[in-house]
Amino acid sequence: MLHRIAIAAVTVATASAAQAQDVGDASAGEQLFNQCQTCHVVVDDEGNTIAGRNARTGPNLYGVIGRQAGTVEDFRYGDAMVEAGEQGLVWDAETFVQYVQDPTGFLREYLDDSRARGKMSFRVRSEEDAQNLYAYLASVGPDGGEGDGEEDSGS
């Protein structure tokens, strides 16, 4: 029984890594992150800055992949983001790519609430750029692109 569970866990981790690698180009995403670092930083659990310039307008994006939305400790999210997280929003390739292209529109649709508003005003211009950012953030996460991250580690 334990052997089957271990095999299942490895299969899921491998599929997650493949998904992150298939979504976009991490190198291109690293270049695109220069636009994001005005508001965001990527700082690991030990306090090492991986990317960004200590910006605090947006949450730390370390471990964002696979994390429940609106859950970075000590960050003040808007009500819509917290509610979306409480309703089960988890950052995967599909949700991340849609969100960064139209944050408020995404939250309105996800919550089925035309009054929902996101605090992030910046929009990524293209789906390809959004996919590349996703690939980059997956590559600098706790698993280095080897999985979906932990639920409480960062967005």
Side-chain angles (χ1 to χ4, degrees):
M1 179 70 166
L2 272 175
H3 182 67
R4 286 187 205 156
I5 292 171
I7 290 172
V10 169
T11 302
V12 168
T14 303
S16 296
Q19 178 191 19
Q21 291 171 351
D22 290 344
V23 169
D25 177 353
S27 295
E30 182 176 12
Q31 294 299 314
L32 291 165
F33 189 79
N34 288 332
Q35 299 170 8
C36 307
Q37 68 183 357
T38 302
C39 299
H40 294 280
V41 67
V42 179
V43 176
D44 69 16
D45 294 336
E46 287 78 40
N48 301 308
T49 301
I50 298 168
R53 296 177 275 196
N54 272 339
R56 299 288 181 220
T57 305
N60 178 7
L61 296 179
Y62 181 74
V64 67
I65 308 306
R67 186 178 59 227
Q68 179 181 339
T71 59
V72 171
E73 194 172 318
D74 297 327
F75 184 80
R76 284 187 54 199
Y77 288 94
D79 294 340
M81 183 62 72
V82 172
E83 183 179 348
E86 289 171 350
Q87 289 188 22
L89 177 58
V90 172
W91 299 118
D92 61 15
E94 180 181 358
T95 57
F96 178 87
V97 167
Q98 289 176 12
Y99 174 76
V100 298
Q101 290 181 91
D102 183 7
T104 294
F106 174 85
L107 289 171
R108 287 179 176 170
E109 185 177 326
Y110 187 87
L111 297 170
D112 193 24
D113 179 357
S114 63
R115 295 183 348 194
R117 293 187 45 83
K119 290 174 82 175
M120 187 168 116
S121 60
F122 181 80
R123 292 179 177 203
V124 174
R125 294 181 188 192
S126 73
E127 184 173 350
E128 179 181 5
D129 285 351
Q131 291 170 342
N132 292 341
L133 279 169
Y134 176 88
Y136 172 65
L137 290 171
S139 76
V140 295
D143 298 323
E146 297 289 327
D148 281 345
E150 297 176 23
E151 276 195 17
D152 288 46
S153 353
S155 158

